[in-house]
Coordinates of all heavy atoms in Angstrom, one line a residue:
M25 N -13.7 -6.2 -39.2 CA -13.7 -5.1 -38.3 C -14.2 -5.4 -36.9 O -13.9 -4.7 -35.9 CB -14.5 -4.0 -38.9 CG -14.2 -2.6 -38.4 SD -12.7 -2.1 -39.0 CE -12.7 -0.4 -38.4
S26 N -14.9 -6.5 -36.8 CA -15.5 -6.9 -35.5 C -14.5 -7.3 -34.5 O -14.8 -7.3 -33.3 CB -16.6 -8.0 -35.7 OG -16.0 -9.1 -36.2
G27 N -13.3 -7.7 -34.9 CA -12.2 -8.2 -34.0 C -11.5 -7.1 -33.4 O -10.8 -7.2 -32.4
I28 N -11.7 -5.8 -33.8 CA -11.0 -4.7 -33.3 C -12.0 -4.0 -32.3 O -13.1 -3.6 -32.6 CB -10.6 -3.7 -34.4 CG1 -9.7 -4.4 -35.3 CG2 -10.0 -2.5 -33.8 CD1 -9.3 -3.6 -36.6
A29 N -11.5 -3.8 -31.0 CA -12.3 -3.1 -30.0 C -12.3 -1.7 -30.3 O -11.4 -1.1 -30.7 CB -11.6 -3.4 -28.6
P30 N -13.4 -1.1 -30.0 CA -13.6 0.4 -30.1 C -12.5 1.1 -29.2 O -12.0 0.5 -28.2 CB -14.9 0.7 -29.6 CG -15.7 -0.6 -29.7 CD -14.7 -1.6 -29.5
Q31 N -12.1 2.3 -29.6 CA -11.1 3.0 -28.9 C -11.4 3.2 -27.5 O -10.5 3.0 -26.6 CB -10.9 4.5 -29.6 CG -9.9 5.3 -29.0 CD -8.5 4.8 -29.2 OE1 -8.2 4.0 -30.1 NE2 -7.5 5.2 -28.3
N32 N -12.6 3.5 -27.1 CA -12.9 3.7 -25.6 C -12.8 2.4 -24.8 O -12.4 2.5 -23.7 CB -14.3 4.4 -25.5 CG -15.4 3.5 -26.0 OD1 -15.2 2.5 -26.6 ND2 -16.6 4.0 -25.7
Q33 N -13.1 1.3 -25.4 CA -12.9 0.0 -24.7 C -11.4 -0.3 -24.5 O -11.0 -0.8 -23.4 CB -13.6 -1.1 -25.4 CG -15.0 -1.2 -25.3 CD -15.7 -2.3 -26.0 OE1 -15.1 -2.9 -26.9 NE2 -16.9 -2.7 -25.7
R34 N -10.6 0.0 -25.5 CA -9.2 -0.2 -25.3 C -8.6 0.7 -24.3 O -7.8 0.3 -23.5 CB -8.4 0.0 -26.7 CG -8.7 -1.1 -27.7 CD -7.8 -0.9 -28.8 NE -8.1 0.3 -29.5 CZ -8.2 0.5 -30.8 NH1 -7.9 -0.5 -31.6 NH2 -8.5 1.6 -31.4
M35 N -9.0 1.9 -24.3 CA -8.5 2.9 -23.3 C -9.0 2.5 -21.9 O -8.3 2.6 -20.9 CB -9.0 4.3 -23.6 CG -8.2 4.9 -24.7 SD -6.4 4.9 -24.5 CE -6.3 6.0 -23.1
G36 N -10.2 2.0 -21.8 CA -10.7 1.5 -20.5 C -9.9 0.3 -20.0 O -9.6 0.2 -18.8
G37 N -9.5 -0.6 -20.9 CA -8.7 -1.7 -20.4 C -7.3 -1.2 -20.0 O -6.7 -1.8 -19.1
F38 N -6.8 -0.2 -20.7 CA -5.5 0.3 -20.4 C -5.5 1.0 -19.0 O -4.6 0.8 -18.2 CB -5.0 1.3 -21.4 CG -3.7 2.0 -21.1 CD1 -2.5 1.3 -21.2 CD2 -3.7 3.3 -20.7 CE1 -1.3 1.9 -20.9 CE2 -2.5 3.9 -20.3 CZ -1.3 3.2 -20.5
R39 N -6.6 1.7 -18.7 CA -6.7 2.3 -17.4 C -6.8 1.2 -16.3 O -6.2 1.5 -15.2 CB -8.0 3.2 -17.3 CG -7.9 4.4 -18.2 CD -9.1 5.3 -18.1 NE -9.1 6.3 -19.1 CZ -10.0 6.6 -19.9 NH1 -11.1 5.9 -19.9 NH2 -9.9 7.5 -20.8
V40 N -7.5 0.2 -16.5 CA -7.6 -0.9 -15.5 C -6.2 -1.5 -15.3 O -5.8 -1.7 -14.1 CB -8.6 -2.0 -16.0 CG1 -8.5 -3.2 -15.1 CG2 -10.0 -1.5 -16.0
I41 N -5.4 -1.7 -16.3 CA -4.1 -2.2 -16.2 C -3.2 -1.3 -15.4 O -2.5 -1.7 -14.5 CB -3.5 -2.5 -17.6 CG1 -4.2 -3.7 -18.2 CG2 -1.9 -2.8 -17.4 CD1 -3.8 -3.9 -19.6
V42 N -3.3 0.0 -15.7 CA -2.5 1.0 -14.9 C -2.9 1.1 -13.5 O -2.1 1.1 -12.6 CB -2.7 2.4 -15.6 CG1 -2.1 3.5 -14.7 CG2 -2.0 2.4 -17.0
L43 N -4.2 1.0 -13.2 CA -4.7 1.0 -11.8 C -4.2 -0.2 -11.0 O -3.8 -0.2 -9.9 CB -6.2 1.1 -11.7 CG -6.8 2.5 -12.0 CD1 -8.3 2.5 -12.1 CD2 -6.3 3.5 -11.0
H44 N -4.3 -1.4 -11.7 CA -3.8 -2.6 -11.1 C -2.3 -2.5 -10.8 O -1.8 -2.9 -9.7 CB -4.0 -3.9 -12.0 CG -5.3 -4.5 -11.8 ND1 -5.7 -5.3 -10.8 CD2 -6.5 -4.3 -12.5 CE1 -6.9 -5.7 -10.9 NE2 -7.4 -5.1 -12.0
F45 N -1.5 -1.9 -11.7 CA -0.1 -1.7 -11.5 C 0.1 -0.8 -10.3 O 1.0 -1.0 -9.5 CB 0.5 -1.1 -12.7 CG 2.0 -0.9 -12.6 CD1 2.9 -2.0 -12.6 CD2 2.5 0.4 -12.5 CE1 4.3 -1.8 -12.5 CE2 3.8 0.6 -12.4 CZ 4.7 -0.5 -12.4
I46 N -0.6 0.3 -10.2 CA -0.5 1.3 -9.1 C -0.9 0.6 -7.7 O -0.1 0.7 -6.7 CB -1.4 2.5 -9.3 CG1 -0.8 3.3 -10.4 CG2 -1.6 3.3 -8.0 CD1 -1.8 4.4 -10.9
F47 N -1.9 -0.3 -7.7 CA -2.2 -1.0 -6.5 C -1.1 -2.0 -6.1 O -0.8 -2.1 -5.0 CB -3.5 -1.8 -6.7 CG -4.8 -0.9 -6.6 CD1 -5.9 -1.4 -7.2 CD2 -4.8 0.3 -6.0 CE1 -7.1 -0.6 -7.1 CE2 -6.0 1.1 -5.9 CZ -7.1 0.6 -6.5
L48 N -0.5 -2.6 -7.1 CA 0.6 -3.5 -6.9 C 1.8 -2.8 -6.3 O 2.4 -3.3 -5.3 CB 1.0 -4.3 -8.1 CG 2.2 -5.3 -8.0 CD1 1.8 -6.4 -7.1 CD2 2.6 -5.8 -9.4
I49 N 2.2 -1.7 -6.9 CA 3.3 -0.9 -6.3 C 3.0 -0.5 -4.9 O 3.8 -0.6 -4.0 CB 3.6 0.3 -7.2 CG1 4.0 -0.2 -8.6 CG2 4.6 1.2 -6.5 CD1 5.3 -1.0 -8.6
Y50 N 1.8 0.0 -4.6 CA 1.4 0.4 -3.2 C 1.4 -0.8 -2.3 O 1.9 -0.6 -1.1 CB 0.1 1.1 -3.2 CG -0.1 1.9 -2.0 CD1 0.5 3.2 -1.9 CD2 -0.9 1.5 -0.9 CE1 0.3 3.9 -0.7 CE2 -1.0 2.2 0.2 CZ -0.4 3.4 0.3 OH -0.5 4.1 1.5
L51 N 1.0 -1.9 -2.7 CA 1.0 -3.1 -1.9 C 2.5 -3.5 -1.5 O 2.8 -3.8 -0.4 CB 0.4 -4.3 -2.7 CG 0.5 -5.7 -2.0 CD1 -0.3 -5.8 -0.7 CD2 0.1 -6.8 -2.9
I52 N 3.4 -3.4 -2.5 CA 4.8 -3.6 -2.3 C 5.3 -2.6 -1.3 O 6.1 -3.0 -0.3 CB 5.6 -3.6 -3.6 CG1 5.2 -4.9 -4.4 CG2 7.1 -3.6 -3.3 CD1 5.7 -4.8 -5.8
I53 N 4.9 -1.4 -1.4 CA 5.4 -0.4 -0.4 C 4.9 -0.6 1.0 O 5.7 -0.5 2.0 CB 5.0 1.0 -0.9 CG1 5.7 1.4 -2.2 CG2 5.2 2.1 0.2 CD1 5.2 2.7 -2.9
V54 N 3.7 -1.1 1.1 CA 3.1 -1.4 2.4 C 3.9 -2.6 3.0 O 4.3 -2.6 4.2 CB 1.6 -1.7 2.4 CG1 1.1 -2.4 3.7 CG2 0.8 -0.5 2.1
L55 N 4.2 -3.6 2.2 CA 4.9 -4.8 2.6 C 6.3 -4.4 3.1 O 6.9 -4.9 4.0 CB 4.9 -5.9 1.6 CG 3.6 -6.5 1.4 CD1 3.7 -7.5 0.2 CD2 3.0 -7.2 2.6
V56 N 7.0 -3.5 2.3 CA 8.3 -3.0 2.7 C 8.2 -2.3 4.1 O 9.1 -2.5 4.9 CB 8.9 -2.0 1.6 CG1 10.1 -1.3 2.1 CG2 9.2 -2.8 0.4
R57 N 7.2 -1.5 4.3 CA 7.1 -0.9 5.6 C 6.9 -1.9 6.7 O 7.6 -1.8 7.8 CB 5.9 0.1 5.6 CG 5.7 0.7 6.9 CD 4.8 1.9 7.0 NE 4.6 2.3 8.3 CZ 3.9 3.4 8.6 NH1 3.3 4.1 7.7 NH2 3.8 3.7 9.9
V58 N 6.1 -2.9 6.5 CA 5.9 -4.0 7.5 C 7.2 -4.7 7.8 O 7.6 -4.9 8.9 CB 4.8 -5.0 7.1 CG1 4.8 -6.2 8.0 CG2 3.5 -4.3 7.1
L59 N 7.9 -5.1 6.7 CA 9.2 -5.8 6.9 C 10.3 -4.9 7.5 O 11.0 -5.5 8.4 CB 9.6 -6.4 5.5 CG 8.8 -7.4 4.9 CD1 9.3 -7.8 3.6 CD2 8.8 -8.7 5.9
S60 N 10.3 -3.7 7.2 CA 11.3 -2.8 7.8 C 11.1 -2.6 9.3 O 12.1 -2.3 10.0 CB 11.4 -1.5 7.0 OG 10.2 -0.7 7.3
S61 N 9.9 -2.8 9.7 CA 9.6 -2.6 11.2 C 10.3 -3.7 12.0 O 10.4 -3.6 13.2 CB 8.1 -2.5 11.4 OG 7.5 -3.8 11.3
Y62 N 10.7 -4.8 11.3 CA 11.3 -5.9 12.1 C 12.8 -5.7 12.2 O 13.5 -6.5 12.9 CB 11.0 -7.2 11.4 CG 9.6 -7.7 11.5 CD1 8.7 -7.6 10.4 CD2 9.1 -8.2 12.7 CE1 7.4 -8.0 10.6 CE2 7.8 -8.6 12.8 CZ 7.0 -8.5 11.7 OH 5.7 -8.9 11.8
F63 N 13.4 -4.7 11.6 CA 14.8 -4.5 11.6 C 15.2 -3.2 12.3 O 14.3 -2.3 12.4 CB 15.4 -4.5 10.2 CG 15.1 -5.8 9.5 CD1 14.1 -5.9 8.5 CD2 16.0 -6.9 9.7 CE1 13.9 -7.1 7.9 CE2 15.7 -8.1 9.0 CZ 14.7 -8.2 8.1
P64 N 16.4 -3.1 12.8 CA 16.8 -1.9 13.5 C 16.7 -0.7 12.5 O 16.8 -0.9 11.2 CB 18.3 -2.1 13.9 CG 18.5 -3.5 13.7 CD 17.5 -4.1 12.8
Q65 N 16.6 0.5 13.0 CA 16.5 1.7 12.2 C 17.8 1.9 11.4 O 18.9 1.7 12.0 CB 16.3 2.9 13.1 CG 15.0 2.9 13.8 CD 13.8 3.0 12.9 OE1 13.8 3.7 11.9 NE2 12.8 2.2 13.2
P66 N 17.7 2.2 10.2 CA 18.9 2.4 9.3 C 19.7 3.7 9.8 O 19.2 4.6 10.3 CB 18.4 2.6 7.9 CG 17.0 3.1 8.1 CD 16.5 2.5 9.4
R67 N 21.0 3.6 9.5 CA 21.9 4.7 9.9 C 22.4 5.5 8.7 O 22.7 6.7 8.8 CB 23.0 4.2 10.7 CG 22.7 3.7 12.0 CD 23.9 3.3 12.9 NE 23.6 2.5 14.0 CZ 23.2 3.1 15.2 NH1 23.1 4.3 15.4 NH2 22.9 2.2 16.2
S68 N 22.4 4.9 7.6 CA 22.9 5.6 6.4 C 21.9 6.6 5.8 O 20.7 6.3 5.9 CB 23.3 4.6 5.2 OG 22.1 4.1 4.6
P69 N 22.4 7.7 5.4 CA 21.4 8.7 4.9 C 20.5 8.2 3.8 O 19.3 8.6 3.7 CB 22.3 9.8 4.3 CG 23.6 9.6 5.0 CD 23.7 8.1 5.3
V70 N 21.0 7.4 2.9 CA 20.1 6.8 1.8 C 19.0 6.0 2.4 O 17.9 6.0 2.0 CB 21.0 6.0 0.8 CG1 20.1 5.4 -0.3 CG2 22.0 7.0 0.1
A71 N 19.4 5.1 3.3 CA 18.4 4.2 3.9 C 17.4 5.0 4.7 O 16.2 4.7 4.7 CB 19.1 3.1 4.8
V72 N 17.8 6.0 5.4 CA 16.9 6.9 6.2 C 15.9 7.5 5.2 O 14.7 7.6 5.5 CB 17.7 7.9 7.0 CG1 16.8 8.9 7.6 CG2 18.5 7.2 8.1
R73 N 16.5 8.0 4.1 CA 15.6 8.8 3.2 C 14.5 7.8 2.6 O 13.4 8.1 2.4 CB 16.4 9.4 2.1 CG 15.6 10.1 1.0 CD 16.4 11.0 0.1 NE 16.9 12.1 0.9 CZ 17.9 12.9 0.6 NH1 18.5 12.7 -0.6 NH2 18.3 13.8 1.3
A74 N 15.0 6.5 2.2 CA 14.2 5.5 1.6 C 13.0 5.2 2.6 O 11.9 5.0 2.3 CB 14.9 4.3 1.2
E75 N 13.4 5.0 3.9 CA 12.4 4.7 4.9 C 11.4 5.8 5.1 O 10.2 5.6 5.2 CB 13.1 4.4 6.2 CG 12.2 3.9 7.3 CD 12.8 3.4 8.6 OE1 14.0 3.5 8.7 OE2 12.1 3.0 9.5
R76 N 11.9 7.0 5.0 CA 11.0 8.2 5.1 C 10.0 8.2 3.9 O 8.9 8.5 4.1 CB 11.8 9.5 5.2 CG 11.1 10.8 5.2 CD 10.2 10.9 6.4 NE 10.8 10.6 7.7 CZ 10.1 10.4 8.8 NH1 8.9 10.4 8.8 NH2 10.8 10.1 9.9
V77 N 10.5 7.9 2.7 CA 9.6 7.9 1.6 C 8.5 6.8 1.7 O 7.3 7.1 1.5 CB 10.4 7.6 0.3 CG1 9.5 7.3 -0.9 CG2 11.3 8.8 -0.1
V78 N 8.9 5.6 2.2 CA 8.0 4.5 2.4 C 6.9 5.0 3.5 O 5.7 4.8 3.3 CB 8.7 3.3 2.8 CG1 7.7 2.2 3.4 CG2 9.5 2.7 1.7
Y79 N 7.4 5.6 4.6 CA 6.5 6.0 5.7 C 5.6 7.1 5.1 O 4.3 7.0 5.4 CB 7.4 6.6 6.8 CG 6.5 7.1 7.9 CD1 6.1 6.2 9.0 CD2 6.2 8.4 8.1 CE1 5.3 6.7 10.0 CE2 5.4 8.9 9.1 CZ 5.0 8.0 10.1 OH 4.2 8.5 11.1
N80 N 6.1 8.1 4.4 CA 5.2 9.1 3.9 C 4.2 8.7 2.9 O 3.1 9.2 2.8 CB 6.0 10.3 3.3 CG 6.7 11.1 4.4 OD1 6.4 11.1 5.5 ND2 7.8 11.7 4.0
A81 N 4.5 7.6 2.2 CA 3.6 7.0 1.2 C 2.5 6.2 1.8 O 1.4 6.1 1.3 CB 4.4 6.2 0.2
T82 N 2.8 5.6 2.9 CA 1.8 4.6 3.6 C 1.0 5.2 4.7 O -0.1 4.8 5.0 CB 2.5 3.4 4.0 OG1 3.6 3.7 5.0 CG2 3.1 2.6 2.9
E83 N 1.6 6.2 5.4 CA 0.9 6.7 6.6 C -0.4 7.4 6.3 O -1.3 7.2 7.1 CB 1.9 7.7 7.3 CG 1.4 8.1 8.7 CD 1.3 6.9 9.7 OE1 1.8 5.8 9.4 OE2 0.5 7.0 10.7
P84 N -0.6 8.1 5.2 CA -2.0 8.7 5.0 C -3.0 7.6 4.9 O -4.2 7.9 5.1 CB -1.8 9.4 3.6 CG -0.4 9.8 3.6 CD 0.4 8.6 4.2
V85 N -2.7 6.4 4.5 CA -3.7 5.3 4.4 C -3.8 4.6 5.8 O -4.9 4.2 6.2 CB -3.4 4.3 3.3 CG1 -4.3 3.1 3.3 CG2 -3.5 5.0 1.9
L86 N -2.7 4.3 6.4 CA -2.7 3.5 7.6 C -3.2 4.3 8.8 O -3.8 3.7 9.7 CB -1.2 3.0 7.9 CG -0.7 2.1 6.8 CD1 0.8 1.6 7.2 CD2 -1.6 0.9 6.5
R87 N -2.9 5.6 8.9 CA -3.4 6.4 10.1 C -4.9 6.3 10.3 O -5.3 6.0 11.4 CB -2.9 7.8 10.0 CG -3.2 8.6 11.2 CD -2.8 10.1 11.1 NE -1.4 10.2 10.7 CZ -1.0 10.8 9.6 NH1 -1.8 11.5 8.8 NH2 0.3 11.0 9.4
P88 N -5.7 6.5 9.2 CA -7.2 6.4 9.5 C -7.6 5.0 9.8 O -8.5 4.8 10.7 CB -7.8 6.9 8.1 CG -6.7 7.6 7.4 CD -5.4 7.1 7.9
L89 N -6.9 4.0 9.2 CA -7.3 2.7 9.6 C -6.9 2.4 11.1 O -7.6 1.6 11.8 CB -6.5 1.7 8.7 CG -7.0 1.7 7.2 CD1 -6.1 0.8 6.4 CD2 -8.4 1.2 7.1
R90 N -5.8 3.0 11.5 CA -5.4 2.8 12.9 C -6.4 3.4 13.9 O -6.5 3.0 15.0 CB -4.0 3.4 13.1 CG -3.1 2.5 13.9 CD -1.7 3.1 14.0 NE -0.9 2.7 12.9 CZ -0.4 3.6 12.0 NH1 -0.5 4.9 12.2 NH2 0.3 3.2 11.0
R91 N -7.1 4.5 13.5 CA -8.1 5.1 14.3 C -9.3 4.2 14.5 O -9.9 4.2 15.5 CB -8.5 6.5 13.7 CG -7.5 7.5 13.9 CD -8.0 8.9 13.4 NE -6.9 9.8 13.3 CZ -6.7 10.6 12.3 NH1 -7.5 10.5 11.2 NH2 -5.7 11.4 12.2
I92 N -9.6 3.5 13.4 CA -10.8 2.6 13.4 C -10.4 1.3 14.2 O -11.2 0.8 15.0 CB -11.2 2.2 12.0 CG1 -11.6 3.4 11.2 CG2 -12.3 1.1 11.9 CD1 -11.8 3.3 9.8
V93 N -9.2 0.7 13.9 CA -8.8 -0.5 14.6 C -7.4 -0.2 15.2 O -6.4 -0.3 14.6 CB -8.7 -1.7 13.6 CG1 -8.2 -2.9 14.4 CG2 -9.9 -2.0 12.9
P94 N -7.5 0.2 16.5 CA -6.2 0.6 17.2 C -5.3 -0.6 17.3 O -5.8 -1.8 17.3 CB -6.6 1.1 18.5 CG -8.0 0.9 18.7 CD -8.6 0.4 17.4
P95 N -4.0 -0.4 17.5 CA -3.1 -1.6 17.7 C -3.5 -2.4 18.9 O -4.0 -1.9 19.9 CB -1.7 -0.9 17.9 CG -1.8 0.4 17.1 CD -3.3 0.8 17.3
L96 N -3.3 -3.7 18.8 CA -3.7 -4.6 19.9 C -2.5 -4.9 20.8 O -1.4 -5.0 20.3 CB -4.2 -5.9 19.3 CG -5.4 -5.8 18.4 CD1 -5.7 -7.2 17.8 CD2 -6.6 -5.4 19.1
R97 N -2.7 -5.0 22.1 CA -1.6 -5.3 23.0 C -1.5 -6.9 23.0 O -2.5 -7.5 23.3 CB -1.9 -4.8 24.4 CG -0.8 -5.2 25.4 CD -0.9 -4.5 26.7 NE -0.6 -3.1 26.6 CZ 0.5 -2.5 26.5 NH1 1.6 -3.2 26.4 NH2 0.7 -1.2 26.4
V98 N -0.4 -7.4 22.7 CA -0.1 -8.8 22.6 C 1.1 -9.0 23.5 O 2.2 -8.8 23.1 CB 0.1 -9.4 21.2 CG1 0.4 -10.9 21.3 CG2 -1.1 -9.0 20.3
G99 N 0.8 -9.5 24.7 CA 2.0 -9.7 25.6 C 2.5 -8.3 25.9 O 1.8 -7.4 26.3
G100 N 3.8 -8.1 25.7 CA 4.5 -6.8 26.0 C 4.6 -6.0 24.7 O 5.4 -5.0 24.7
M101 N 4.0 -6.4 23.6 CA 4.1 -5.8 22.3 C 2.8 -5.2 21.8 O 1.7 -5.7 22.3 CB 4.6 -6.8 21.3 CG 6.0 -7.3 21.6 SD 6.5 -8.7 20.5 CE 6.0 -8.1 18.9
M102 N 2.9 -4.3 20.9 CA 1.7 -3.8 20.2 C 1.6 -4.4 18.8 O 2.6 -4.4 18.1 CB 1.7 -2.3 20.2 CG 1.7 -1.7 21.6 SD 0.2 -2.0 22.5 CE -1.0 -1.0 21.7
L103 N 0.5 -4.9 18.4 CA 0.3 -5.5 17.0 C -0.6 -4.5 16.2 O -1.8 -4.3 16.6 CB -0.3 -6.9 17.2 CG -0.6 -7.6 15.8 CD1 0.7 -7.8 15.1 CD2 -1.3 -8.9 16.1
D104 N 0.0 -3.9 15.2 CA -0.7 -3.0 14.4 C -1.3 -3.8 13.2 O -0.6 -4.3 12.4 CB 0.3 -1.9 13.9 CG -0.4 -0.9 13.0 OD1 -1.7 -0.9 13.0 OD2 0.3 0.0 12.5
L105 N -2.6 -3.8 13.1 CA -3.3 -4.6 12.1 C -3.6 -3.7 10.9 O -4.1 -4.2 9.8 CB -4.6 -5.2 12.6 CG -4.4 -6.2 13.7 CD1 -5.8 -6.6 14.2 CD2 -3.7 -7.4 13.2
S106 N -3.3 -2.4 10.9 CA -3.7 -1.5 9.8 C -3.0 -1.9 8.5 O -3.7 -1.8 7.4 CB -3.4 0.0 10.2 OG -2.0 0.1 10.4
P107 N -1.8 -2.4 8.4 CA -1.3 -2.8 7.1 C -2.0 -4.0 6.5 O -2.3 -4.0 5.3 CB 0.2 -3.2 7.4 CG 0.6 -2.4 8.7 CD -0.7 -2.4 9.5
A108 N -2.4 -4.9 7.4 CA -3.2 -6.1 6.9 C -4.5 -5.7 6.4 O -5.0 -6.1 5.3 CB -3.3 -7.1 8.0
I109 N -5.1 -4.7 7.1 CA -6.4 -4.2 6.6 C -6.3 -3.5 5.3 O -7.1 -3.6 4.4 CB -7.0 -3.3 7.7 CG1 -7.4 -4.1 9.0 CG2 -8.3 -2.6 7.2 CD1 -7.7 -3.3 10.2
A110 N -5.2 -2.7 5.2 CA -5.0 -2.0 3.9 C -4.7 -2.9 2.8 O -5.3 -2.7 1.7 CB -3.7 -1.1 4.1
V111 N -4.0 -4.0 3.0 CA -3.8 -5.0 1.9 C -5.1 -5.7 1.5 O -5.4 -5.8 0.3 CB -2.8 -6.1 2.4 CG1 -2.8 -7.3 1.5 CG2 -1.4 -5.5 2.5
V112 N -6.0 -6.0 2.5 CA -7.3 -6.5 2.1 C -8.1 -5.6 1.3 O -8.7 -5.9 0.3 CB -8.1 -7.0 3.4 CG1 -9.5 -7.3 3.2 CG2 -7.3 -8.1 4.1
I113 N -8.2 -4.3 1.8 CA -8.9 -3.3 1.0 C -8.4 -3.1 -0.4 O -9.1 -3.0 -1.3 CB -8.9 -1.9 1.8 CG1 -9.8 -2.1 3.1 CG2 -9.5 -0.8 1.0 CD1 -9.7 -0.9 4.0
L114 N -7.0 -3.0 -0.5 CA -6.4 -2.9 -1.8 C -6.8 -4.1 -2.7 O -7.1 -3.9 -3.9 CB -4.9 -2.8 -1.7 CG -4.4 -1.5 -1.3 CD1 -2.9 -1.6 -1.1 CD2 -4.6 -0.4 -2.3
G115 N -6.8 -5.3 -2.2 CA -7.2 -6.5 -2.9 C -8.7 -6.4 -3.4 O -9.0 -6.7 -4.5
I116 N -9.6 -5.9 -2.5 CA -11.0 -5.8 -2.9 C -11.1 -4.7 -3.9 O -11.8 -4.9 -4.9 CB -11.8 -5.4 -1.6 CG1 -11.9 -6.6 -0.7 CG2 -13.2 -5.0 -2.0 CD1 -12.5 -6.3 0.7
L117 N -10.4 -3.6 -3.8 CA -10.5 -2.6 -4.8 C -10.0 -3.0 -6.2 O -10.6 -2.8 -7.2 CB -9.8 -1.3 -4.4 CG -10.4 -0.5 -3.2 CD1 -9.5 0.6 -2.8 CD2 -11.8 0.0 -3.6
A118 N -8.9 -3.7 -6.1 CA -8.3 -4.2 -7.4 C -9.2 -5.2 -8.0 O -9.3 -5.3 -9.3 CB -6.9 -4.8 -7.1
D119 N -9.9 -6.0 -7.2 CA -10.8 -7.1 -7.8 C -12.0 -6.5 -8.4 O -12.6 -7.0 -9.3 CB -11.2 -8.0 -6.7 CG -11.8 -9.3 -7.2 OD1 -11.3 -9.8 -8.2 OD2 -12.9 -9.7 -6.6
R120 N -12.4 -5.3 -7.9 CA -13.6 -4.6 -8.4 C -13.4 -3.9 -9.7 O -14.3 -3.4 -10.3 CB -14.2 -3.6 -7.4 CG -14.5 -4.2 -6.1 CD -15.9 -4.6 -6.1 NE -16.2 -5.3 -4.8 CZ -17.3 -5.9 -4.5 NH1 -18.2 -5.9 -5.4 NH2 -17.5 -6.5 -3.4
L121 N -12.1 -3.7 -10.1 CA -11.8 -2.9 -11.4 C -12.3 -3.7 -12.6 O -12.3 -4.8 -12.7 CB -10.4 -2.6 -11.4 CG -9.9 -1.7 -10.4 CD1 -8.4 -1.5 -10.5 CD2 -10.5 -0.3 -10.5

């Protein structure tokens, strides 16, 4: 019987796995947003809707980070560091689970 984990320990492990999975999915969504910023805006309704979903999923996290660390002017461009900061924070949170 000692080889079987108690029910609450198994459920705790399951919760950690689910949270890691959620963090991974969110990380992928943030990376999709970053990569999509390098390409022209989509014209097809499906692509526009997908881009809107990605934007709506990431903006609530990125906007407050952008207030703390505003985009930097690099030459004639603006460099937004908020996605990189979000990835670091997600990594730290996932590591603490």
Side-chain angles (χ1 to χ4, degrees):
M25 199 73 173
S26 64
I28 299 174
Q31 180 68 22
N32 60 352
Q33 284 182 339
R34 287 188 298 219
M35 286 305 294
F38 178 73
R39 288 183 192 128
V40 169
I41 291 170
V42 169
L43 284 173
H44 274 280
F45 182 72
I46 291 169
F47 284 158
L48 176 64
I49 295 299
Y50 198 77
L51 173 68
I52 290 169
I53 293 172
V54 169
L55 292 176
V56 166
R57 178 167 175 178
V58 169
L59 292 175
S60 70
S61 70
Y62 289 104
F63 299 101
Q65 296 296 319
R67 297 187 190 271
S68 76
V70 174
V72 169
R73 182 170 290 165
E75 185 173 1
R76 179 60 49 196
V77 167
V78 168
Y79 179 85
N80 289 337
T82 56
E83 192 59 20
V85 172
L86 299 181
R87 185 182 307 122
L89 293 174
R90 223 177 277 120
R91 286 186 193 131
I92 297 168
V93 180
L96 303 172
R97 179 170 293 282
V98 179
M101 299 173 37
M102 297 298 284
L103 179 62
D104 185 9
L105 297 175
S106 61
I109 295 169
V111 167
V112 169
I113 291 171
L114 283 171
I116 291 169
L117 290 174
D119 193 44
R120 301 270 177 185
L121 294 177

